Amino acid sequence: MPADSSAIGAPALLLPTNDGRLEEYHMGAASPFPAKAKAVFNRVAYAAAHVVADPLVPHDPWVDSAIDWDATIAYRRHLWGLGFSVAEAMDTAQRGMGLDWPTALELIRRSAATAKADGHRRLASGAGTDHLDPAAARTLDDVIGAYEEQFEAVEAAGSPIILMASRALVRVARSADDYLKVYDRLLTQAREPVIIHWLGDMFDPQLAGYWGSADIRAAMATALTAIRAHPEKVDGIKISLLDAAWEIEMRNQLPPGVRMYTGDDFNFADLIAGDADGHSDALLGIFDAIAPAASAALARLAAGDEAGFREALEPTVPLSRLIFAAPTRFYKTGIVFLAWLNGHQDHFTMVGGQQSARSVTHLAEVFRLADRARLFADPDLAARRMRSLLALHGVG
C-alpha cells in the first residue's frame, strides 16, 4: 500500500529529487507489522545483520573500527524476536570492508554467547580468509591454512559456519580443480554442516571469476561438484548473483537435503515463494532493513496464505533494488540509514565512514520507498531524523 500523501496530520518534509528539485513529501501511517514473530516460519530465514559503529570512541574511521557492542547485540535480539536466524560477521557487517578479522571474531563470540544465554542457537557465522592479505598468498596451502584458522575460532565460539568466499583463493587458484581441492579439505574437516557462500563480483569486485571461471554455468558446475562430494557436510549454498534464473537452475540440481539460500536482493519474494519444482530458503542482507514486514510475510506464507505473503513483502522489493543498486557493494549505507531512521541506533555513522557512500538524493528515495513499504514504526521520528540529515546537506 503506497503512502497516502493526503493523510491528515502526516509528517511533511522537503526531499530532493534526481532532477535537482525539492518536492514536498507527506508520510504515510506507521508500520502495521508486529515487533515480534507471530508464527514459526516454513522457510529457513537468515538475516545478515549490520554492526553499529561507536562514533564517540577516538579513532580514524577510514583505518580503524569502533563498535557499539550494546547496540549491535540489541539489534540481533530484535531480529531473533522477529523469528530470524542471524548470519553473523558477513559482508552486511562490513566484513573485509572496514571490519577486520579480530573485530569480526569478537562480534561472533559476543553473538554466540548471547544466543546461548537466550536459550537458542539461531546463528551461523562467517569463516573466511580476510586476515590473509591476498597479495601475501602464494599457494593453496596458504589459503587453506587461513580458512582453518578461522574455522577453528568460529567453532570454538560455538557457532556453525558460513564458508565465505576468499579473495586470496581467487588470487592463487589456477583452475577449477584448485577450488575443489580447497573446498574438499575444508568440508572434510567441518564439525557440522556449513553454508557455502558464493558472493558475486557485483558485491565484491575482487571475487570476479570465483570457482575458476567467469562463465556462470561453468562456475556453477564446479560448485555443484564440491557439494556433491560432501552433501552431508553442506547445509546449503547461498548465491548472491542477483539473477533469479541462475539460482533456480542451480537449486534444481542440488543433492537432496541441501538447501538453496537465496541471496538475491532483487528477486527474493518470488524465489522464497517458489514454483512447482521447489523454493529457496533465504540468507539476505535486506532482511536487516525490512525485518518486521518480512517476518509478517513469512508467517503468512507458513499459514498457506501466499497472497498475504506477497501483500506484505512485495512492496519492499523496489526498496531493496534501490538499496542494492550499483555500485552494489555500497548497499550497507542504506541498511544502516534505515536502522537509524527506525530508532535502532542514535546516529548515522558507519564503520569506515561509509555513511558517505551514497548521495543524499539516493537516501531521499530510500526514505520514500521505505515509507511506501510501511516500514517506519514511528513516522515522526523518521521525519525528524531525515530533516536533520537534509539540513546537514544544505536542504531546509
mmCIF file of all heavy atoms in Angstrom, residues 119-146:
data_model
loop_
_atom_site.group_PDB
_atom_site.id
_atom_site.type_symbol
_atom_site.label_atom_id
_atom_site.label_comp_id
_atom_site.label_asym_id
_atom_site.label_seq_id
_atom_site.Cartn_x
_atom_site.Cartn_y
_atom_site.Cartn_z
ATOM 1 N N GLY A 119 18.976 -18.938 25.149
ATOM 2 C CA GLY A 119 18.378 -20.255 25.062
ATOM 3 C C GLY A 119 18.084 -20.752 23.669
ATOM 4 O O GLY A 119 17.210 -21.601 23.474
ATOM 5 N N HIS A 120 18.830 -20.249 22.691
ATOM 6 C CA HIS A 120 18.636 -20.748 21.330
ATOM 7 C C HIS A 120 19.981 -20.770 20.618
ATOM 8 O O HIS A 120 21.004 -20.364 21.141
ATOM 9 C CB HIS A 120 17.618 -19.898 20.559
ATOM 10 C CG HIS A 120 18.024 -18.469 20.382
ATOM 11 N ND1 HIS A 120 18.937 -18.064 19.438
ATOM 12 C CD2 HIS A 120 17.646 -17.341 21.040
ATOM 13 C CE1 HIS A 120 19.091 -16.754 19.511
ATOM 14 N NE2 HIS A 120 18.337 -16.291 20.476
ATOM 15 N N ARG A 121 19.966 -21.255 19.366
ATOM 16 C CA ARG A 121 21.202 -21.358 18.598
ATOM 17 C C ARG A 121 20.945 -20.877 17.163
ATOM 18 O O ARG A 121 21.448 -21.443 16.212
ATOM 19 C CB ARG A 121 21.690 -22.816 18.612
ATOM 20 C CG ARG A 121 23.164 -22.989 18.212
ATOM 21 C CD ARG A 121 23.648 -24.371 18.603
ATOM 22 N NE ARG A 121 25.029 -24.588 18.188
ATOM 23 C CZ ARG A 121 25.375 -25.294 17.128
ATOM 24 N NH1 ARG A 121 24.456 -25.857 16.359
ATOM 25 N NH2 ARG A 121 26.653 -25.472 16.821
ATOM 26 N N ARG A 122 20.130 -19.847 17.029
ATOM 27 C CA ARG A 122 19.742 -19.372 15.706
ATOM 28 C C ARG A 122 20.798 -18.397 15.190
ATOM 29 O O ARG A 122 20.601 -17.189 15.110
ATOM 30 C CB ARG A 122 18.357 -18.746 15.748
ATOM 31 C CG ARG A 122 17.321 -19.785 16.156
ATOM 32 C CD ARG A 122 15.891 -19.444 15.973
ATOM 33 N NE ARG A 122 15.569 -18.073 15.696
ATOM 34 C CZ ARG A 122 14.962 -17.270 16.551
ATOM 35 N NH1 ARG A 122 14.671 -17.681 17.765
ATOM 36 N NH2 ARG A 122 14.632 -16.041 16.203
ATOM 37 N N LEU A 123 21.958 -18.976 14.857
ATOM 38 C CA LEU A 123 23.116 -18.178 14.470
ATOM 39 C C LEU A 123 24.039 -19.036 13.613
ATOM 40 O O LEU A 123 24.202 -20.227 13.862
ATOM 41 C CB LEU A 123 23.873 -17.732 15.735
ATOM 42 C CG LEU A 123 25.133 -16.899 15.542
ATOM 43 C CD1 LEU A 123 24.761 -15.452 15.252
ATOM 44 C CD2 LEU A 123 26.024 -16.973 16.784
ATOM 45 N N ALA A 124 24.604 -18.446 12.588
ATOM 46 C CA ALA A 124 25.718 -19.042 11.857
ATOM 47 C C ALA A 124 26.648 -17.897 11.493
ATOM 48 O O ALA A 124 26.196 -16.770 11.262
ATOM 49 C CB ALA A 124 25.243 -19.778 10.604
ATOM 50 N N SER A 125 27.950 -18.170 11.447
ATOM 51 C CA SER A 125 28.924 -17.083 11.338
ATOM 52 C C SER A 125 29.928 -17.328 10.232
ATOM 53 O O SER A 125 30.325 -18.465 9.954
ATOM 54 C CB SER A 125 29.676 -16.926 12.672
ATOM 55 O OG SER A 125 28.780 -16.718 13.735
ATOM 56 N N GLY A 126 30.354 -16.231 9.631
ATOM 57 C CA GLY A 126 31.269 -16.302 8.505
ATOM 58 C C GLY A 126 32.680 -16.686 8.912
ATOM 59 O O GLY A 126 33.266 -16.124 9.843
ATOM 60 N N ALA A 127 33.238 -17.655 8.179
ATOM 61 C CA ALA A 127 34.658 -18.006 8.297
ATOM 62 C C ALA A 127 35.265 -17.870 6.911
ATOM 63 O O ALA A 127 34.762 -18.458 5.944
ATOM 64 C CB ALA A 127 34.823 -19.432 8.811
ATOM 65 N N GLY A 128 36.321 -17.096 6.822
ATOM 66 C CA GLY A 128 36.946 -16.843 5.528
ATOM 67 C C GLY A 128 38.447 -16.764 5.654
ATOM 68 O O GLY A 128 39.062 -17.447 6.481
ATOM 69 N N THR A 129 39.039 -15.893 4.834
ATOM 70 C CA THR A 129 40.498 -15.737 4.839
ATOM 71 C C THR A 129 40.892 -14.267 4.906
ATOM 72 O O THR A 129 41.993 -13.903 4.490
ATOM 73 C CB THR A 129 41.128 -16.368 3.583
ATOM 74 O OG1 THR A 129 40.705 -15.625 2.413
ATOM 75 C CG2 THR A 129 40.734 -17.827 3.431
ATOM 76 N N ASP A 130 40.019 -13.415 5.431
ATOM 77 C CA ASP A 130 40.250 -11.970 5.318
ATOM 78 C C ASP A 130 41.403 -11.466 6.176
ATOM 79 O O ASP A 130 41.832 -10.323 5.997
ATOM 80 C CB ASP A 130 38.973 -11.182 5.612
ATOM 81 C CG ASP A 130 38.229 -11.654 6.840
ATOM 82 O OD1 ASP A 130 38.075 -12.870 7.018
ATOM 83 O OD2 ASP A 130 37.787 -10.801 7.631
ATOM 84 N N HIS A 131 41.936 -12.285 7.092
ATOM 85 C CA HIS A 131 43.131 -11.860 7.822
ATOM 86 C C HIS A 131 44.399 -12.101 7.003
ATOM 87 O O HIS A 131 45.487 -11.655 7.383
ATOM 88 C CB HIS A 131 43.239 -12.589 9.163
ATOM 89 C CG HIS A 131 43.387 -14.068 9.044
ATOM 90 N ND1 HIS A 131 42.401 -14.879 8.511
ATOM 91 C CD2 HIS A 131 44.403 -14.910 9.379
ATOM 92 C CE1 HIS A 131 42.811 -16.137 8.533
ATOM 93 N NE2 HIS A 131 44.021 -16.182 9.049
ATOM 94 N N LEU A 132 44.273 -12.806 5.877
ATOM 95 C CA LEU A 132 45.392 -13.063 4.971
ATOM 96 C C LEU A 132 45.332 -12.057 3.825
ATOM 97 O O LEU A 132 44.378 -12.052 3.041
ATOM 98 C CB LEU A 132 45.306 -14.493 4.420
ATOM 99 C CG LEU A 132 46.293 -14.879 3.314
ATOM 100 C CD1 LEU A 132 47.733 -14.844 3.828
ATOM 101 C CD2 LEU A 132 45.952 -16.261 2.756
ATOM 102 N N ASP A 133 46.331 -11.205 3.734
ATOM 103 C CA ASP A 133 46.405 -10.255 2.620
ATOM 104 C C ASP A 133 46.479 -11.048 1.317
ATOM 105 O O ASP A 133 47.390 -11.874 1.144
ATOM 106 C CB ASP A 133 47.640 -9.375 2.779
ATOM 107 C CG ASP A 133 47.768 -8.306 1.700
ATOM 108 O OD1 ASP A 133 47.037 -8.373 0.692
ATOM 109 O OD2 ASP A 133 48.619 -7.403 1.866
ATOM 110 N N PRO A 134 45.532 -10.849 0.377
ATOM 111 C CA PRO A 134 45.590 -11.608 -0.869
ATOM 112 C C PRO A 134 46.940 -11.511 -1.567
ATOM 113 O O PRO A 134 47.400 -12.491 -2.179
ATOM 114 C CB PRO A 134 44.478 -10.980 -1.713
ATOM 115 C CG PRO A 134 43.503 -10.460 -0.708
ATOM 116 C CD PRO A 134 44.353 -9.976 0.438
ATOM 117 N N ALA A 135 47.599 -10.356 -1.454
ATOM 118 C CA ALA A 135 48.899 -10.190 -2.097
ATOM 119 C C ALA A 135 49.980 -11.049 -1.452
ATOM 120 O O ALA A 135 51.003 -11.340 -2.081
ATOM 121 C CB ALA A 135 49.314 -8.719 -2.069
ATOM 122 N N ALA A 136 49.742 -11.457 -0.203
ATOM 123 C CA ALA A 136 50.732 -12.283 0.504
ATOM 124 C C ALA A 136 50.501 -13.771 0.287
ATOM 125 O O ALA A 136 51.350 -14.587 0.657
ATOM 126 C CB ALA A 136 50.700 -11.965 1.995
ATOM 127 N N ALA A 137 49.363 -14.128 -0.284
ATOM 128 C CA ALA A 137 49.063 -15.544 -0.532
ATOM 129 C C ALA A 137 49.870 -16.038 -1.721
ATOM 130 O O ALA A 137 49.878 -15.412 -2.784
ATOM 131 C CB ALA A 137 47.574 -15.724 -0.779
ATOM 132 N N ARG A 138 50.532 -17.175 -1.554
ATOM 133 C CA ARG A 138 51.366 -17.726 -2.625
ATOM 134 C C ARG A 138 50.875 -19.089 -3.101
ATOM 135 O O ARG A 138 51.039 -19.435 -4.262
ATOM 136 C CB ARG A 138 52.824 -17.859 -2.143
ATOM 137 C CG ARG A 138 53.494 -16.535 -1.814
ATOM 138 C CD ARG A 138 53.799 -15.736 -3.078
ATOM 139 N NE ARG A 138 54.490 -14.482 -2.773
ATOM 140 C CZ ARG A 138 53.868 -13.324 -2.588
ATOM 141 N NH1 ARG A 138 52.539 -13.268 -2.675
ATOM 142 N NH2 ARG A 138 54.547 -12.228 -2.312
ATOM 143 N N THR A 139 50.289 -19.859 -2.191
ATOM 144 C CA THR A 139 49.908 -21.231 -2.513
ATOM 145 C C THR A 139 48.510 -21.530 -1.993
ATOM 146 O O THR A 139 47.975 -20.811 -1.139
ATOM 147 C CB THR A 139 50.884 -22.237 -1.886
ATOM 148 O OG1 THR A 139 50.737 -22.205 -0.457
ATOM 149 C CG2 THR A 139 52.335 -21.908 -2.259
ATOM 150 N N LEU A 140 47.937 -22.637 -2.467
ATOM 151 C CA LEU A 140 46.655 -23.089 -1.941
ATOM 152 C C LEU A 140 46.756 -23.419 -0.461
ATOM 153 O O LEU A 140 45.795 -23.213 0.293
ATOM 154 C CB LEU A 140 46.168 -24.319 -2.717
ATOM 155 C CG LEU A 140 45.784 -24.112 -4.181
ATOM 156 C CD1 LEU A 140 45.324 -25.431 -4.789
ATOM 157 C CD2 LEU A 140 44.712 -23.050 -4.348
ATOM 158 N N ASP A 141 47.906 -23.919 -0.031
ATOM 159 C CA ASP A 141 48.073 -24.229 1.387
ATOM 160 C C ASP A 141 47.999 -22.970 2.245
ATOM 161 O O ASP A 141 47.535 -23.025 3.396
ATOM 162 C CB ASP A 141 49.393 -24.961 1.619
ATOM 163 C CG ASP A 141 49.337 -26.420 1.175
ATOM 164 O OD1 ASP A 141 48.211 -26.954 1.068
ATOM 165 O OD2 ASP A 141 50.414 -27.014 0.930
ATOM 166 N N ASP A 142 48.468 -21.837 1.723
ATOM 167 C CA ASP A 142 48.313 -20.573 2.447
ATOM 168 C C ASP A 142 46.831 -20.276 2.674
ATOM 169 O O ASP A 142 46.422 -19.858 3.763
ATOM 170 C CB ASP A 142 48.944 -19.412 1.665
ATOM 171 C CG ASP A 142 50.457 -19.485 1.603
ATOM 172 O OD1 ASP A 142 51.059 -20.163 2.450
ATOM 173 O OD2 ASP A 142 51.034 -18.859 0.679
ATOM 174 N N VAL A 143 46.044 -20.472 1.630
ATOM 175 C CA VAL A 143 44.605 -20.195 1.713
ATOM 176 C C VAL A 143 43.932 -21.182 2.662
ATOM 177 O O VAL A 143 43.133 -20.793 3.528
ATOM 178 C CB VAL A 143 43.966 -20.261 0.314
ATOM 179 C CG1 VAL A 143 42.455 -20.085 0.411
ATOM 180 C CG2 VAL A 143 44.574 -19.188 -0.598
ATOM 181 N N ILE A 144 44.256 -22.457 2.525
ATOM 182 C CA ILE A 144 43.664 -23.478 3.393
ATOM 183 C C ILE A 144 44.009 -23.203 4.850
ATOM 184 O O ILE A 144 43.152 -23.289 5.742
ATOM 185 C CB ILE A 144 44.134 -24.878 2.959
ATOM 186 C CG1 ILE A 144 43.513 -25.251 1.609
ATOM 187 C CG2 ILE A 144 43.767 -25.923 4.017
ATOM 188 C CD1 ILE A 144 44.109 -26.491 0.975
ATOM 189 N N GLY A 145 45.261 -22.854 5.113
ATOM 190 C CA GLY A 145 45.669 -22.559 6.487
ATOM 191 C C GLY A 145 44.909 -21.391 7.076
ATOM 192 O O GLY A 145 44.531 -21.410 8.256
ATOM 193 N N ALA A 146 44.666 -20.353 6.257
ATOM 194 C CA ALA A 146 43.907 -19.201 6.741
ATOM 195 C C ALA A 146 42.462 -19.587 7.041
ATOM 196 O O ALA A 146 41.898 -19.210 8.075
ATOM 197 C CB ALA A 146 43.954 -18.084 5.705
#
